[in-house]
Amino acid sequence: MSLVAGSYERFIWGFKLKALKHSHESLTLTPLFCFPSHISPIKSVAVAGSAAASGGADDTIKLYDLSASAEIGSLTEHSASVTALSFFAPPPLSAPRNLISASDDGAVSVYDADPFVHLKTIRSHKKGINDLSVHPSGKLALTVGRDSCLAMVNLVRGRRSFYCRLRKEASIVKFDLGGDKFFMVMDEKVSLHESEDARLVFELDNQRRVLCAAPGTNGLLFTGGEDRGIKAWDTTSGKVAHSIEDAHSARVKGIVVLAGSDAAAGDGDPYMVASASSDGVIRVWDIRTTSKEKPNPLAEACTKSRLTCLAGSSLKSVWQPKLGKNSNDKQLDTAAEDL
C-alpha cells in the first residue's frame, strides 16, 4: 500500500506501508520520494493504484508514477488553485481511467488517464470549489463551494445537472463506498444524505471543526480535525463506534482508510486508517485499539513539514503512464461513455 501527502512548503511525500517479519502488527512506512513538485503550497492529492496526482496553488496538477517513484508530467488547464482531485478507477481495476479536478474559480476539469488528455472543463460554481466526490459508477460527481451551494456534475454529458443553495458553506463532500449515500461537512457538523433525492438521514455533531473525512467499509465514516483525534462513526445509528483521542499533537488534516475498494480482494484492513497532521506526522492506526487508554500507532513517519492533505491506495495494479496532447471538448462524450 502507498501513501502520498502534500505540504504547505510545496513538497510531495510518498511512502510505502510494509509489514515486518510477515506480521500485520508490525508495520513500517518506507519513504518512496520527497521533492518540491510545485512552486506554491499543495492543496490536494489523489492516488489510484500506482498513479498519483497533486494540485497546487500554482494552478497546476502534477502527475506521478509511484512504482517508479517519479514525476511524469503536468496538467495546466486550470487558471486558479487546484483544490480537489479524484481518480475514477472502475472496479475491479485499481488503475485509473479518468482524473477529475476542481479549482478555486469554480471549474471542474475532466481528463482521460490513458493517456492524460484534457476532455472538458465545466463551470459548476460561482465561487471556488472546496471539495468534490465522484460516484462509484463514474457517471457523476458532487461538488461543494464557497458560494454555499451543492452541485451535481454529469460526467457523461459534461455539464452541470443540479445546483442548490445550502444553509451554510460545506467544506467536504463524500460518497459512501456504495454510492447510495453521501456526506457533507459544515464546520463541526456532518450530515448524511440519500443520494437519490438528497434527503437528510441524520446529522452528526463532532463538537470541534472537522477538517477531513473518509468513508469506510461496514458502514463506518472516519473523521479528523481540530480536536486532534480520529472518530469512526456508525452511519446506521449515528453514534461513534470507535475513537482515538489525541491521535496527533496538532490538527488532523488528512485521513485514509487502508481498505476501501481493495478490501474485496483481501488487500487492506477495514479497521486500519492512516492520518496526517499539520505538524508533519503521518501515523497508521488500528481503530480497534481504542479500548486501550493510550493506543500506539502501528507505524509512524515524520516529514517535518506542514502537511495539508493525504491520499492512499494499493500498488498492486500494473499501470503504464502516458501523456497526450490536449484534446478539444468534443472528445468527452466518446471517452465518457466508457465509464
Side-chain angles (χ1 to χ4, degrees):
M1 291 182 179
S2 60
L3 290 171
V4 174
S7 70
Y8 186 83
E9 293 86 358
R10 310 177 286 120
F11 277 76
I12 188 82
W13 298 80
F15 295 91
K16 187 173 182 180
L17 184 63
K18 292 182 178 180
L20 296 178
K21 299 179 181 178
H22 306 287
S23 174
H24 209 44
E25 297 180 355
S26 299
L27 301 172
T28 181
L29 284 170
T30 303
L32 291 176
F33 55 81
C34 167
F35 58 90
S37 60
H38 291 261
I39 61 174
S40 298
I42 296 175
K43 298 279 190 177
S44 56
V45 289
V47 179
S50 59
S54 63
D58 54 4
D59 311 348
T60 302
I61 299 172
K62 295 286 188 175
L63 304 171
Y64 313 90
D65 181 3
L66 298 182
S67 61
S69 299
E71 180 183 318
I72 60 171
S74 303
L75 302 173
T76 58
E77 281 71 27
H78 284 287
S79 56
S81 299
V82 181
T83 54
L85 292 167
S86 180
F87 281 110
F88 170 64
L93 302 177
S94 57
R97 181 175 291 178
N98 294 90
L99 172 65
I100 297 91
S101 60
S103 60
D104 207 28
D105 59 356
V108 173
S109 289
V110 184
Y111 299 87
D112 191 352
D114 189 22
F116 278 99
V117 177
H118 177 240
L119 301 176
K120 183 78 173 183
T121 294
I122 307 153
R123 188 70 58 177
S124 66
H125 289 266
K126 297 178 181 178
K127 294 182 179 180
I129 296 175
N130 292 328
D131 196 19
L132 73 83
S133 181
V134 178
H135 190 269
S137 68
K139 295 181 178 180
L140 60 90
L142 293 177
T143 59
V144 291
R146 291 190 289 107
D147 54 2
S148 300
C149 290
L150 167 71
M152 179 186 294
V153 178
N154 187 322
L155 297 177
V156 176
R157 296 185 178 274
R159 66 188 184 190
R160 189 180 71 185
S161 58
F162 177 78
Y163 185 74
C164 72
R165 182 166 292 277
L166 303 171
R167 70 178 187 275
K168 194 176 184 180
E169 178 182 337
S171 57
I172 299 172
V173 62
K174 298 292 180 189
F175 279 108
D176 67 4
L177 296 184
D180 298 325
K181 294 180 175 63
F182 69 91
F183 312 91
M184 286 192 296
V185 174
M186 300 177 184
D187 293 331
E188 74 280 0
K189 305 288 187 180
V190 182
S191 57
L192 172 65
H193 301 261
E194 295 284 354
S195 296
E196 185 176 2
D197 54 7
R199 179 178 61 87
L200 177 65
V201 178
F202 52 72
E203 191 173 68
L204 312 173
D205 188 354
N206 191 63
Q207 303 299 324
R208 299 287 298 275
R209 187 181 178 191
V210 175
L211 301 177
C212 54
T217 57
N218 303 325
L220 295 178
L221 173 68
F222 295 85
T223 61
E226 290 186 346
D227 59 3
R228 302 178 299 173
I230 299 171
K231 290 182 180 178
W233 301 84
D234 184 347
T235 58
T236 59
S237 65
K239 298 181 180 180
V240 177
H242 306 280
S243 178
I244 299 178
E245 303 294 335
D246 295 323
H248 290 270
S249 59
R251 296 177 298 169
V252 180
K253 298 298 294 288
I255 190 165
V256 173
V257 182
L258 299 177
S261 60
D262 301 323
D267 184 17
D269 190 321
Y271 297 99
M272 191 181 297
V273 297
S275 57
S277 61
S278 56
D279 62 356
V281 177
I282 299 173
R283 288 172 175 161
V284 178
W285 306 89
D286 186 336
I287 200 70
R288 294 168 297 185
T289 62
T290 54
S291 58
K292 300 180 181 180
E293 292 184 2
K294 190 175 181 181
N296 295 319
L298 302 178
E300 181 176 321
C302 183
T303 63
K304 297 182 179 180
S305 62
R306 290 174 288 176
L307 298 180
T308 57
C309 46
L310 181 71
S313 180
S314 168
L315 265 175
K316 280 188 172 182
S317 64
V318 178
W319 177 72
Q320 297 296 328
K322 300 177 184 177
L323 290 174
K325 296 181 180 179
N326 289 346
S327 63
N328 57 46
D329 293 345
K330 293 181 180 179
Q331 288 180 302
L332 176 67
D333 289 334
T334 301
E337 287 295 340
D338 294 334
L339 296 178

